[in-house]
């Protein structure tokens, strides 16, 4: 039980989610997430079919609903070799029967936030994962603008491994996601050449696009843009020249990240969307 700084002396307890939680669980998800979950997902959660879960309840609720969910976390066990993060694990972890715990959803009702409830729920997941001998990591995705959640995962020693452009498609709009991993013993790759190369590539792309944004925001007469025109005028390729011109590489970079040229006009947006997390290089 937690000791909370809360107006009515809440007493929070954690327990598995069960069938009687179905309605409240659906409502909490609908209130908190921009994504709609299938009813099959909720059925699987409350019946523990392929999904593990914990709920938080306030035993001291003023309305007497002392068993009603005010927070939840849902997760699934996946095989490391089938997961998208196998490159971020030790070589042998990804090759054998090792497993991972993937956090599907996490949420705390608004009136109960910043009281440490989500931290405790994640702690339950980590504790559970550490009892599985084959488990090498707990991981999850978070939408790039969800600062409270990002702060929380960093605080709980999850490592932000990568920014995934346009990972979510919500209401006809793309949003990036961060991939966070909490390594269990022996799960972390001590030095993965694959990750190292990929990250340096990301950083080089970031630098190219930062320069491109800088150039595009200058006036058409600025010296830097005259160079751009000179480059376009001398289009003939000689022997031994690089296979691609810088402009071609930038077009490819922009297509990859689904950037458009008019985005360069807002420096703040351009730089934040283009940013590659430094933590992804720490391997
Ligand atoms: C993200 C969420 C689960 C956090 O739940 P919570 O119970 O408030 O989390 P905790 O109290 O355990 O920890 C929150 C930490 O984040 C910090 N935090 C809260 N809001 C913040 C914000 N806007 N910016 C930065 N940090 C913030 C708190 O200060 C706290 O850190 P501290 O212990 O150092 O003070 C909750 O905000 C939520 O349910 N959001 C909607 C659903 C959601 O986004 N889920 C995550 C999907 S990936």
């Amino acid at each position: 039980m937690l000791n909370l700084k809360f107006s009515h002396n809440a007493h929070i307890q954690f327990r598995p989610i069960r069938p009687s939680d179905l309605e409240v669980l659906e409502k909490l998800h609908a209130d908190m997430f921009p994504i709609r979950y299938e009813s099959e997902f909720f059925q699987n959660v409350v019946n523990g079919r392929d999904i593990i879960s914990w709920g938080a309840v306030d035993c001291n609720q003023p309305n007497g609903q002392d068993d009603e969910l005010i927070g939840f976390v849902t997760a699934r066990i996946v095989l490391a070799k089938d997961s998208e993060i196998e490159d971020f694990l030790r070589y042998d972890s990804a090759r054998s029967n090792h497993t991972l715990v993937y956090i599907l959803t996490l949420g705390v009702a608004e009136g109960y936030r910043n009281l440490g409830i989500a931290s405790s729920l994640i702690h339950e997941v980590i504790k559970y994962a550490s009892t599985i001998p084959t488990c090498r990591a707990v991981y999850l995705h978070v939408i790039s603008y969800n600062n409270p959640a990002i702060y929380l995962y960093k605080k709980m020693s999850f490592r932000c491994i990568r920014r995934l452009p346009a990972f979510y498609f919500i209401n006809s709009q793309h949003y990036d996601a961060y991939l966070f991993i909490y390594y269990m013993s022996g799960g972390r790759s001590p030095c993965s050449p694959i990750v190292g190369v990929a990250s340096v590539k990301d950083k080089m792309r970031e630098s190219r696009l930062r320069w491109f944004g800088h150039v595009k925001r200058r006036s058409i007469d600025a010296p830097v843009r005259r160079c751009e025109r000179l480059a376009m005028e001398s289009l003939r390729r000689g022997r031994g020249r690089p296979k691609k011109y810088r402009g071609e590489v930038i077009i490819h970079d922009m297509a990859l990240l689904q950037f458009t040229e008019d985005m360069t006009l807002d420096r703040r947006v351009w730089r934040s969307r283009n940013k590659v997390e430094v933590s992804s290089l720490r391997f």
Side-chain angles (χ1 to χ4, degrees):
M1 210 177 287
L2 293 174
N3 183 16
L4 299 170
K5 39 179 181 183
F6 204 58
S7 57
H8 69 267
N9 278 334
H11 285 284
I12 305 297
Q13 280 191 328
F14 301 95
R15 61 161 176 77
I17 294 177
R18 42 191 185 227
S20 56
D21 295 319
L22 182 63
E23 205 179 311
V24 177
L25 187 71
E26 284 186 336
K27 179 161 173 20
L28 287 173
H29 277 72
D31 291 348
M32 287 179 199
F33 301 116
I35 298 168
R36 295 285 149 255
Y37 290 88
E38 307 270 330
S39 66
E40 193 191 345
F41 166 74
F42 296 109
Q43 286 295 341
N44 289 343
V45 174
V46 299
N47 292 301
R49 277 198 298 256
D50 209 20
I51 290 180
I52 32 174
S53 66
W54 288 263
V57 294
D58 175 3
C59 303
N60 220 4
Q61 273 222 44
N63 60 5
Q65 305 280 350
D66 57 3
D67 200 37
E68 189 174 284
L69 290 185
I70 52 93
F72 58 84
V73 62
T74 64
R76 167 176 286 146
I77 299 174
V78 295
L79 271 179
K81 66 181 165 59
D82 296 340
S83 79
E84 70 199 279
I85 68 162
E86 70 174 319
D87 290 346
F88 301 102
L89 301 167
R90 281 182 74 92
Y91 182 71
D92 58 341
S93 297
R95 279 302 167 109
S96 62
N97 281 342
H98 285 148
T99 54
L100 307 166
V101 172
Y102 179 59
I103 295 185
L104 297 159
T105 60
L106 165 76
V108 172
E110 236 171 83
Y112 287 87
R113 290 187 188 161
N114 296 318
L115 299 171
I117 296 173
S119 307
S120 301
L121 286 164
I122 294 177
H123 193 67
E124 291 295 328
V125 177
I126 293 173
K127 216 166 65 185
Y128 169 80
S130 66
T131 64
I132 307 172
T134 53
C135 185
R136 288 297 170 265
V138 177
Y139 77 106
L140 56 90
H141 294 102
V142 56
I143 202 159
S144 58
Y145 61 71
N146 191 345
N147 290 330
I150 290 167
Y151 180 93
L152 170 69
Y153 301 134
K154 286 186 175 166
K155 190 184 81 169
M156 306 251 355
S157 305
F158 278 71
R159 293 168 61 89
C160 180
I161 295 300
R162 173 156 289 190
R163 187 178 178 123
L164 303 162
F167 183 82
Y168 293 106
F169 187 65
I170 302 165
N171 297 332
S172 314
Q173 210 175 324
H174 288 283
Y175 296 91
D176 296 355
Y178 289 113
L179 172 62
F180 275 91
I181 303 183
Y182 180 95
Y183 288 102
M184 317 293 295
S185 57
R188 186 179 154 203
S189 166
C191 175
S192 158
I194 299 169
V195 174
V197 170
S199 300
V200 170
K201 217 169 110 187
D202 288 350
K203 271 312 225 191
M204 287 172 69
R205 189 185 57 228
E206 178 195 56
S207 146
R208 275 194 302 271
L209 289 176
R210 197 170 50 227
W211 173 247
F212 179 70
H214 168 75
V215 171
K216 287 288 162 193
R217 281 190 301 274
R218 299 282 86 76
S219 118
I220 195 81
D221 297 323
V224 74
R225 299 213 55 178
R226 268 185 253 141
C227 293
E228 189 186 300
R229 282 201 299 280
L230 279 177
M232 286 174 69
E233 277 155 22
S234 56
L235 274 176
R236 236 182 110 244
R237 277 167 209 240
R239 290 179 61 196
R241 300 289 305 271
K243 284 208 174 70
K244 275 185 184 167
Y245 286 99
R246 191 178 176 86
E248 290 171 320
V249 179
I250 284 173
I251 288 170
H252 176 263
D253 290 342
M254 299 215 346
L256 186 78
L257 297 181
Q258 301 191 334
F259 284 3
T260 52
E261 222 175 288
D262 54 347
M263 286 180 186
T264 57
L265 298 178
D266 186 333
R267 180 174 179 275
R268 201 178 46 82
V269 170
W270 181 255
R271 291 197 73 152
S272 71
R273 292 206 47 167
N274 182 31
K275 183 107 192 97
V276 173
E277 286 298 299
V278 174
S279 55
S280 66
L281 287 170
R282 266 191 251 130
F283 276 89

